[in-house]
Amino acid sequence: MSFEKVAIIGLGLQGGSIGLATQEFLPEVQTSGFDLDPATRARAADRGLVHQVCETAAEAVRDADLVIFCVPPGVMGEAALDVRDALRKDALISDVGSCKQSIAAALREALPDHYVIPAHPVAGTENSGPDAGFAHLFRNRWCIVTPPEHTDLVKLSQLVEFWEALGANVEIMDAQHHDLVLAVTSHLPHLIAYTIVGTASDLEDVTQSEVIKYSAGGFRDFTRIAASDPTMWRDVFLTNKEAVLTMLQRFTEDLTALQRAIRVGDGDALFEQFARTRAIRRSIIQEGQDDSRPDFGRGDHENGTKKI
Amino acid sequence: MSFEKVAIIGLGLQGGSIGLATQEFLPEVQTSGFDLDPATRARAADRGLVHQVCETAAEAVRDADLVIFCVPPGVMGEAALDVRDALRKDALISDVGSCKQSIAAALREALPDHYVIPAHPVAGTENSGPDAGFAHLFRNRWCIVTPPEHTDLVKLSQLVEFWEALGANVEIMDAQHHDLVLAVTSHLPHLIAYTIVGTASDLEDVTQSEVIKYSAGGFRDFTRIAASDPTMWRDVFLTNKEAVLTMLQRFTEDLTALQRAIRVGDGDALFEQFARTRAIRRSIIQEGQDDSRPDFGRGDHENGTKKI
């Protein structure tokens, strides 16, 4: 591994998982980390998310040759400014944010003299904070790297090698295209999930306890991603606004068409729409991006069986 | 158990699961079944979904004191007419459909001289057909029974006892209220999932293979319920039209409000909405209606780990 010391700024789900994965898969690499929240730092130290939890970000990045910002998209620039003077001159700067254009711009503005290669591991759970991370989060997940034009190929390949060591498959992509792709595969689903969970909570005719009780009819699937970190998701929608609004417009058109089919009783249109969506599910399972067991395997597991 | 012979019309996910569960938990009860599709009948016989797979529906219901229709909502009346002359006079008639008002009306019109008590087990997976059923489908799930006014309480308690024996918790509810509750906890989520999977398939700027590859960002959660049986879901939307359109209107209003918040950059409104949805997820898990493990426990299981 080309890196000797990796500094992780932000020790939540992503930062904590990178720290644990680095220690497990790259035991020769030193890891340090910082989080603005003292309670998170304390918990990170307890769990050993990195070798060294520092009291300042500047201390964490000292001597690091790879610095990864794992803070919400809206504060990337601020976090970068905070360490500017402590960075090694040749440190490679990266991040894990879900919107690449705006984050790349913020990091480059804050650190004009450093090499910045943004990245986005498409992996996560609904949990957040220092207890959420685990070493295998990135295994067989895609990590999208969005290098700027004229990127140093040596630095790029070092970053790719790092993510591959953590278990990810790496894809190189243009930042603008990344933001469009993720708007549909991640941002729009989260927005819709947050919306429907909100809608269900606000009804007068149906109580919240009924919504909870009968959630196994489909609703519960949406509550998982709607339990994700609100700060991060607020920032995602504010920083990938254009692409999200574009995708939302398409979704609304399609929903309106189905609404009309229901209203006029057009069973053929409904059937046609519902019949063509199975193939995508099959492909996702074939490509190892979801569990093949019915119901995501819920209740299949011994613990799950007891719960469910 | 008060019933000696249970006849199941329709041997897909629900019918097959009832057959298997009855054999496992009520071994003294005889089970017979019929399905319009000869291939389903053959497979049902191979899997032993019921003791006796019959070549006609009339033969299946002969001597049965409980007859459960497990066909799509749109053909309940037809399926009931088909067996009318072969039914025992005192047979109790029930079903498992997801819309109670229209199905109750169809069954009562087809069988005016019989006792009809509709029911709806809120349980399922994305799979359908004779291979999808399993004996534990109803365990710790709710089964909503919607008796008509002036129901014979003995018959009602027999049906409740039957579902409880299969592992379900039973709730008695007014049919109209059921249709409203399920419109939000089941029908609307399915409609939205079908829509977004369709939207994602139709984009020009993002390829289908990209949608599949990066689906772990949230999209894949929606593909599960969008893989459900298209015939059944077409019928659900046609038969619970009013309640679905009402809920859809509420959802669209809420989505429009969030769209506006994104457009004008109102981070506080977004944060507020995203922060209040976690509590519902927690309650669903506390009430045993979902798995407490992150990511639905996907990848936690040995088989899952290999796949994911």
Side-chain angles (χ1 to χ4, degrees), chain A residues 122 124-128 139-142 144 171 173 177 180-181 184-186 188-192 194-206 208 210-231 233-234 237-238 241 245 247-248 250-251 254-255 258-259 262-263 265 267 270-271 273-278 280-281 283-285 288-291 293-296 298-299 301 304-305 307-308, chain B residues 122 124-128 139-142 144 171 173 177 180-181 184-186 188-192 194-206 208 210-231 233-234 237-238 241 245 247-248 250-251 254-255 258-259 262-263 265 267 270-271 273-278 280-281 283-285 288-291 293-296 298-299 301 304-305 307-308:
Chain A
V122 185
T125 75
E126 65 274 31
N127 294 338
S128 46
R139 186 172 46 186
N140 204 16
R141 291 278 87 86
W142 288 93
I144 303 177
E171 185 85 20
M173 201 183 279
H177 189 61
L180 203 61
V181 171
V184 66
T185 63
S186 179
L188 182 59
H190 277 80
L191 187 69
I192 289 169
Y194 277 123
T195 305
I196 191 173
V197 176
T199 303
S201 317
D202 290 343
L203 298 172
E204 303 85 31
D205 302 335
V206 177
Q208 193 150 322
E210 287 174 321
V211 167
I212 290 161
K213 233 165 142 174
Y214 308 117
S215 60
F219 178 74
R220 62 178 178 160
D221 283 24
F222 292 70
T223 63
R224 186 185 78 79
I225 62 176
S228 303
D229 184 37
T231 305
W233 281 99
R234 175 199 61 199
F237 294 115
L238 296 178
K241 178 167 141 172
L245 290 176
M247 291 303 169
L248 185 50
R250 301 289 294 255
F251 169 79
D254 293 343
L255 188 60
L258 283 182
Q259 181 174 359
I262 293 172
R263 196 179 296 282
L270 295 173
F271 183 85
Q273 170 76 1
F274 301 166
R276 73 200 187 93
T277 48
R278 283 186 158 175
I280 286 205
R281 173 93 194 141
S283 305
I284 287 174
I285 289 168
Q289 297 304 310
D290 209 340
D291 202 306
R293 291 168 297 156
D295 223 358
F296 301 122
R298 284 187 287 213
H301 185 276
T305 303
K307 285 299 291 182
I308 293 191
Chain B
V122 185
T125 76
E126 65 274 30
N127 294 339
S128 47
R139 185 173 49 185
N140 205 15
R141 292 278 88 86
W142 288 94
I144 303 177
E171 185 84 20
M173 201 183 280
H177 189 62
L180 203 61
V181 172
V184 68
T185 63
S186 179
L188 181 60
H190 277 80
L191 187 69
I192 288 169
Y194 278 123
T195 304
I196 191 172
V197 177
T199 303
S201 317
D202 290 343
L203 298 171
E204 304 85 31
D205 302 335
V206 178
Q208 192 148 324
E210 287 175 321
V211 168
I212 290 161
K213 233 164 141 174
Y214 308 116
S215 60
F219 179 74
R220 61 178 177 160
D221 284 24
F222 292 70
T223 62
R224 186 185 78 79
I225 61 175
S228 303
D229 183 37
T231 304
W233 282 99
R234 175 198 62 200
F237 294 114
L238 296 177
K241 176 168 143 172
L245 290 175
M247 292 303 169
L248 185 51
R250 301 289 294 255
F251 169 80
D254 293 343
L255 187 62
L258 282 182
Q259 179 173 359
I262 294 172
R263 195 179 297 282
L270 295 174
F271 183 86
Q273 169 76 5
F274 300 166
R276 71 199 188 94
T277 47
R278 283 187 157 175
I280 286 206
R281 173 92 195 143
S283 305
I284 288 174
I285 289 168
Q289 297 304 310
D290 209 341
D291 202 307
R293 291 168 297 156
D295 224 357
F296 302 122
R298 284 187 286 213
H301 186 276
T305 303
K307 284 300 291 182
I308 292 191

Side-chain angles (χ1 to χ4, degrees), chain A residues 130-194:
Chain A
D131 283 297
F134 54 99
H136 292 236
L137 176 62
F138 310 110
R139 186 172 46 186
N140 204 16
R141 291 278 87 86
W142 288 93
C143 179
I144 303 177
V145 175
T146 60
E149 281 184 52
H150 316 298
T151 286
D152 179 325
L153 291 182
V154 173
K155 296 229 182 250
L156 176 60
S157 68
Q158 288 170 348
L159 187 65
V160 169
E161 192 191 352
F162 175 77
W163 276 106
E164 287 177 346
L166 267 45
N169 307 314
V170 176
E171 185 85 20
I172 309 291
M173 201 183 279
D174 170 70
Q176 189 181 355
H177 189 61
H178 166 280
D179 287 358
L180 203 61
V181 171
L182 270 288
V184 66
T185 63
S186 179
H187 308 169
L188 182 59
H190 277 80
L191 187 69
I192 289 169
Y194 277 123

Side-chain angles (χ1 to χ4, degrees), chain B:
Chain B
M1 178 51 48
S2 331
F3 301 114
E4 290 179 350
K5 181 180 171 188
V6 177
I8 301 166
I9 307 301
L11 295 169
L13 169 63
Q14 296 288 337
S17 295
I18 294 173
L20 291 170
T22 305
Q23 291 177 73
E24 180 162 335
F25 302 115
L26 298 167
E28 73 282 12
V29 175
Q30 278 300 303
T31 54
S32 61
F34 170 76
D35 196 286
L36 261 186
D37 176 14
T40 298
R41 290 201 297 274
R43 188 66 194 128
D46 284 350
R47 288 196 67 204
L49 297 182
V50 287
H51 292 115
Q52 193 194 0
V53 176
C54 302
E55 285 303 299
T56 67
E59 195 189 330
V61 303
R62 191 155 299 139
D63 301 325
D65 41 6
L66 174 62
V67 177
I68 307 180
F69 290 96
C70 304
V71 298
V75 291
M76 288 278 180
E78 216 173 299
L81 265 184
D82 198 31
V83 299
R84 184 173 55 182
D85 299 333
L87 285 173
R88 254 171 73 161
K89 272 204 147 50
D90 62 344
L92 176 61
I93 309 299
S94 191
D95 75 302
V96 296
S98 192
C99 321
K100 301 290 25 142
Q101 291 176 96
S102 63
I103 291 173
L107 291 177
R108 281 182 201 123
E109 195 188 319
L111 306 172
D113 302 326
H114 279 84
Y115 234 97
V116 177
I117 305 183
H120 175 211
V122 185
T125 76
E126 65 274 30
N127 294 339
S128 47
D131 282 297
F134 54 99
H136 292 235
L137 177 62
F138 309 110
R139 185 173 49 185
N140 205 15
R141 292 278 88 86
W142 288 94
C143 179
I144 303 177
V145 175
T146 61
E149 281 183 52
H150 315 298
T151 285
D152 178 325
L153 291 182
V154 173
K155 296 229 181 252
L156 176 60
S157 68
Q158 288 170 349
L159 187 66
V160 169
E161 190 191 355
F162 175 77
W163 276 107
E164 287 178 347
L166 267 45
N169 307 314
V170 175
E171 185 84 20
I172 308 291
M173 201 183 280
D174 170 71
Q176 189 180 354
H177 189 62
H178 166 280
D179 288 357
L180 203 61
V181 172
L182 271 287
V184 68
T185 63
S186 179
H187 308 169
L188 181 60
H190 277 80
L191 187 69
I192 288 169
Y194 278 123
T195 304
I196 191 172
V197 177
T199 303
S201 317
D202 290 343
L203 298 171
E204 304 85 31
D205 302 335
V206 178
T207 66
Q208 192 148 324
S209 102
E210 287 175 321
V211 168
I212 290 161
K213 233 164 141 174
Y214 308 116
S215 60
F219 179 74
R220 61 178 177 160
D221 284 24
F222 292 70
T223 62
R224 186 185 78 79
I225 61 175
S228 303
D229 183 37
T231 304
M232 191 195 97
W233 282 99
R234 175 198 62 200
D235 286 3
V236 166
F237 294 114
L238 296 177
T239 50
N240 197 23
K241 176 168 143 172
E242 293 311 323
V244 168
L245 290 175
T246 301
M247 292 303 169
L248 185 51
Q249 181 60 33
R250 301 289 294 255
F251 169 80
T252 305
E253 285 168 18
D254 293 343
L255 187 62
T256 304
L258 282 182
Q259 179 173 359
R260 186 180 180 284
I262 294 172
R263 195 179 297 282
V264 303
D266 185 349
D268 292 344
L270 295 174
F271 183 86
E272 197 185 316
Q273 169 76 5
F274 300 166
R276 71 199 188 94
T277 47
R278 283 187 157 175
I280 286 206
R281 173 92 195 143
R282 252 195 316 271
S283 305
I284 288 174
I285 289 168
Q286 273 161 11
E287 301 224 349
Q289 297 304 310
D290 209 341
D291 202 307
S292 60
R293 291 168 297 156
D295 224 357
F296 302 122
R298 284 187 286 213
D300 206 353
H301 186 276
E302 201 184 329
N303 296 331
T305 303
K306 279 184 205 142
K307 284 300 291 182
I308 292 191

